[in-house]
Amino acid sequence: MSFLLPKLSSKRAVDHVIKTTAEVVLVLRFGRDEDSVCLQLDDILAKTSHDLSKMAAIYLVDVDEVPVYRQYFDITYIPSTVFFFNGQHMKVDYGSPDHTKFVGSFKTKQDFIDLIEVIYRGAMRGKLIVRSPIDPKNIPKYDLLYKGV
Amino acid sequence: MAPYECSVCRRTVFSSRKKHVYEKGHRQRLESVLGAFGEKVAAARKMIKAASVVKFDPREHEQKFWCHCCQEEVQRHTSDGNVAVVFGGMLAHLYRPEHSKAVDKYWWAHHAEAKLKARFVITQDEYERFKSSVTKALENYEETEDALIKQVAGQIREAEQSRMEMLRTILEPGAPPAGGDDGVRSSSQQPPGRIISPADSEGPGPSNRQTLPHEAFVMAGAPPLTFIGQQVASDKGNVHTGALPPWMSPDEDDAGDPQDIGPSIEDFLKHKEKMALKKLPPNRVGANFDHSAPTDEGWLPSFGRVWNSGRRWQSRHQYKKEAGTKGGKRKRMEPP
């Protein structure tokens, strides 16, 4: 899917994107291009990227190329999706224990669009954490336990 | 001689009882009292032919009634705490010889209609009939209870069976996962504890990509995700522990390119964009975040040192002077 969405494959490129993306929600998909669930998610991202072009900038990040980010965001399952706004990490309460990232694929395009809109509006109102509008049924729940926390 | 007190009229009569019982008011009141009491008794007498036995309900079956003849409160229904015989208590009371004596006395004292007297007393054979009908009703009740219990048990058994079936269909292993040629294996369908030998993996994937058997998927039917290993680094924190984010830490190979003198077209465009941003809400997240700010190790604000003595500005100036002269003081404090 990297021919449909811009791809980042170094820590520097990710840094640069996080620091320079302004006033839109930055979506970073950490994963691998050949993974089947990543492909599902990439399909949803690619199809919605044009509609969301005024609200979100979507980038694909190869998780093997950025061990620093993998370690920082504690990415144990791919795909994991992380959101930023103006260089700030946006947290989302999905109803799961982890608010820092979305693990797995969205069920529908509309779910992703709704989530981006909620994050965008929340960030515009100065919120650092927003509540996910997605039906809890459609959020895949995985066993994520960070050691020692 | 004490004046007569009429219990129906609830007043003292100073003339005499004999005259009072013919008074119009007394007769009316007596009629209404006997009418109300007669209705209750008639309802109880219906039960002689067809007694009814129901489940005991403390609110319903602990009611009492006032027997005007005996001047006392009597239990309306009989029960053993489990089942109740409707109007059983009332009929038993009406059968008692004390009651029939009291009825005779009442009728004499209040000069009531003699025809009605038989209505308020129950004869022996009436009571026998009632007893036999009660035994019949009790048998019927037990039969229906048994049937009800059997029905409920059948329902419970059915639900249990359907649950077991559901459990079995879930636990049955699905189709084996196709793939593995991309070097990525999903392990959710592997039974826990199974050891994956290296010969099992067709693809040239690194061994740490094989997922651990302990991972648990809570959502049924979700596609299995690829596990890429626990990201545990003891020295560095992560997003959960509030460590310095990677985009704030400096790059190792940061080569600063020399800038041209004067504003470039990019700078101008950036400035124009910044002007456009003034319309957005001023308190949004990261509104005054400097996207081009260089971040170094000293990103934490420094406020000098602990202020112990002297004036605040003196200690601040002293700190600044020391920092200026020694230069690399901060660097020395860093861990190697």
Side-chain angles (χ1 to χ4, degrees), chain A residues 19 23 35 72 76 123 142, chain B residues 217 226 228 239 247 284-285 291:
Chain A
K19 283 190 195 172
E23 312 306 339
D35 187 76
Y72 177 73
T76 48
Y142 296 97
Chain B
F217 290 90
T226 309
I228 58 167
V239 67
W247 62 94
R284 66 191 190 277
V285 169
H291 297 279

Side-chain angles (χ1 to χ4, degrees), chain A residues 27-85:
Chain A
V27 182
L28 295 184
R29 185 280 276 151
F30 289 90
R32 293 187 186 120
D33 280 347
E34 70 278 358
D35 187 76
S36 59
V37 187
C38 286
L39 283 170
Q40 280 176 24
L41 178 60
D42 291 355
D43 183 52
I44 287 172
L45 301 185
K47 284 185 173 173
T48 50
S49 66
H50 180 72
D51 292 343
L52 290 171
S53 55
K54 286 192 175 169
M55 271 200 280
I58 304 170
Y59 290 90
L60 310 182
V61 184
D62 194 332
V63 77
D64 298 321
E65 307 281 343
V66 284
V68 182
Y69 277 96
R70 192 175 65 203
Q71 191 267 327
Y72 177 73
F73 284 115
D74 187 28
I75 295 167
T76 48
Y77 291 102
I78 56 171
S80 290
T81 313
V82 183
F83 302 96
F84 292 87
F85 197 87

Side-chain angles (χ1 to χ4, degrees), chain B residues 140-317:
Chain B
N140 276 346
Y141 173 78
E142 274 165 10
E143 264 172 42
T144 52
E145 278 293 280
D146 282 352
L148 205 70
I149 285 169
K150 269 176 198 159
Q151 197 183 334
V152 170
Q155 277 175 1
I156 290 170
R157 226 170 281 136
E158 209 171 283
E160 183 80 3
Q161 197 175 356
S162 71
R163 226 178 52 200
M164 290 301 287
E165 260 169 37
M166 178 108 78
L167 210 64
R168 212 174 302 137
T169 52
I170 289 169
L171 287 178
E172 263 172 22
D181 45 27
D182 52 1
V184 179
R185 288 185 63 92
S186 58
S187 78
S188 69
Q189 277 138 355
Q190 306 276 6
R194 189 187 151 192
I195 298 153
I196 306 161
S197 65
D200 266 358
S201 59
E202 298 103 296
S207 60
N208 68 339
R209 291 191 182 179
Q210 288 176 355
T211 50
L212 302 176
H214 68 252
E215 68 180 297
F217 290 90
V218 179
M219 192 168 117
L225 296 192
T226 309
F227 183 72
I228 58 167
Q230 288 285 343
Q231 308 296 326
V232 182
S234 53
D235 54 332
K236 282 187 269 180
N238 61 14
V239 67
H240 306 295
T241 54
L244 178 70
W247 62 94
M248 299 285 276
S249 63
D251 280 320
E252 291 82 22
D253 50 346
D254 234 349
D257 45 349
Q259 266 207 322
D260 292 334
I261 295 169
S264 63
I265 184 74
E266 287 95 54
D267 289 353
F268 171 67
L269 289 176
K270 210 174 266 177
H271 176 75
K272 223 170 81 174
E273 214 176 275
K274 211 183 263 177
M275 287 297 115
L277 296 182
K278 294 224 162 133
K279 286 181 220 159
L280 297 175
N283 66 336
R284 66 191 190 277
V285 169
N288 43 16
F289 176 74
D290 189 358
H291 297 279
S292 58
T295 42
D296 57 350
E297 288 296 331
W299 65 280
L300 273 171
S302 169
F303 299 105
R305 58 169 62 158
V306 180
W307 173 34
N308 283 323
S309 62
R311 297 196 180 153
R312 182 73 188 88
W313 64 264
Q314 282 173 330
S315 73
R316 194 172 65 232
H317 284 209

